[in-house]
């Protein structure tokens, strides 16, 4: 990985990790290769993107403080507002970067989602759909992995 990408990833991770978010980098090309043209992201193939996942710690580390500070604008979806707020701070911090943010609740005029969060998580290596054939020892139900919610993507066009 190129040095500037490593530094950018570290900077974003440092800003979000303590708030209960995880980030995983991927190239737009990887996402577009697994989907039909109608669902492609409209960025160049080499565009760097980061999928942002919230983990259970986000509730205590980001959401509760967000509510206590009364930063809610209108009550639509307080969790979405909290995430949007924290990601907008990242955009301000990285003002020297050309950066876009997409949220999983955004839709296009044709009512299709702007992106498929699960697909982004898969191509970034943050998620994998396990099926019974993938598991040698049948331990379904015995162990539950950490809940992760995929929902946001940063795009860096430089």
């Amino acid at each position: 990985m190129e040095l500037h990408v490593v530094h950018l990833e570290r900077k974003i991770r440092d800003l979000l990790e303590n708030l209960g978010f995880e980030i995983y980098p991927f190239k737009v090309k990887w996402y577009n290769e697994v989907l039909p043209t109608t669902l492609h992201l409209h960025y160049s193939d080499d565009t760097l993107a980061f999928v942002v996942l919230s983990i259970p710690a986000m509730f205590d580390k980001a959401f509760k403080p967000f509510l206590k500070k009364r930063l809610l604008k209108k009550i639509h979806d307080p969790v979405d507002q909290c995430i949007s707020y924290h990601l907008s701070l990242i955009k301000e911090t990285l003002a020297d970067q050309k950066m876009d943010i997409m949220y999983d609740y955004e839709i296009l005029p044709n009512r299709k989602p702007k992106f498929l969060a699960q697909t982004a998580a898969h191509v970034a290596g943050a998620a994998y759909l396990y099926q019974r054939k993938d598991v040698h020892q049948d331990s379904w139900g015995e162990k539950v992995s950490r809940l992760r919610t995929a929902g946001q993507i940063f795009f860096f066009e430089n």
Side-chain angles (χ1 to χ4, degrees):
M1 204 178 324
E2 294 181 35
L3 193 56
H4 72 281
V5 173
V6 172
H7 289 297
L8 183 60
E9 180 178 359
R10 185 175 302 132
K11 187 180 277 188
I12 296 169
R13 191 175 309 282
D14 288 347
L15 292 166
L16 290 176
E17 202 168 48
N18 291 331
L19 294 170
F21 296 99
E22 294 179 350
I23 63 161
Y24 297 86
F26 68 96
K27 285 192 175 186
V28 167
K29 178 182 180 179
W30 304 346
Y31 177 93
N32 287 345
E33 284 177 339
V34 299
L35 291 171
T37 310
T38 57
L39 295 172
H40 280 189
L41 295 169
H42 299 288
Y43 293 90
S44 69
D45 283 349
D46 284 335
T47 299
L48 175 65
F50 292 90
V51 65
V52 179
L53 307 178
S54 59
I55 60 173
M58 187 277 293
F59 187 78
D60 287 326
K61 293 181 176 183
F63 186 62
K64 282 182 178 178
F66 177 79
L67 291 177
K68 283 181 185 173
K69 291 180 184 174
R70 296 190 173 113
L71 296 171
L72 278 174
K73 294 190 169 82
K74 287 188 339 188
I75 298 186
H76 287 306
D77 185 326
V79 173
D80 285 345
Q81 285 185 47
C82 171
I83 292 169
S84 177
Y85 169 77
H86 287 292
L87 298 188
S88 70
L89 296 179
I90 299 298
K91 193 169 185 171
E92 288 175 21
T93 302
L94 301 173
D96 60 326
Q97 300 285 326
K98 186 174 188 305
M99 177 179 152
D100 291 329
I101 302 174
M102 280 187 197
Y103 299 92
D104 66 346
Y105 53 82
E106 295 179 307
I107 58 172
L108 298 168
N110 64 5
R111 307 289 300 154
K112 287 187 179 183
K114 282 192 170 183
F115 74 98
L116 300 178
Q118 290 77 12
T119 302
H122 282 272
V123 300
Y128 180 79
L129 174 62
Y130 285 97
Q131 299 175 7
R132 282 202 181 268
K133 66 181 175 72
D134 300 320
V135 180
H136 301 292
Q137 180 182 356
D138 192 358
S139 59
W140 293 88
E142 291 176 23
K143 296 180 183 176
V144 178
S145 65
R146 289 193 299 178
L147 172 68
R148 297 176 181 196
T149 304
Q152 298 70 231
I153 298 181
F154 289 122
F155 295 94
F156 293 90
E157 294 189 69
N158 310 19

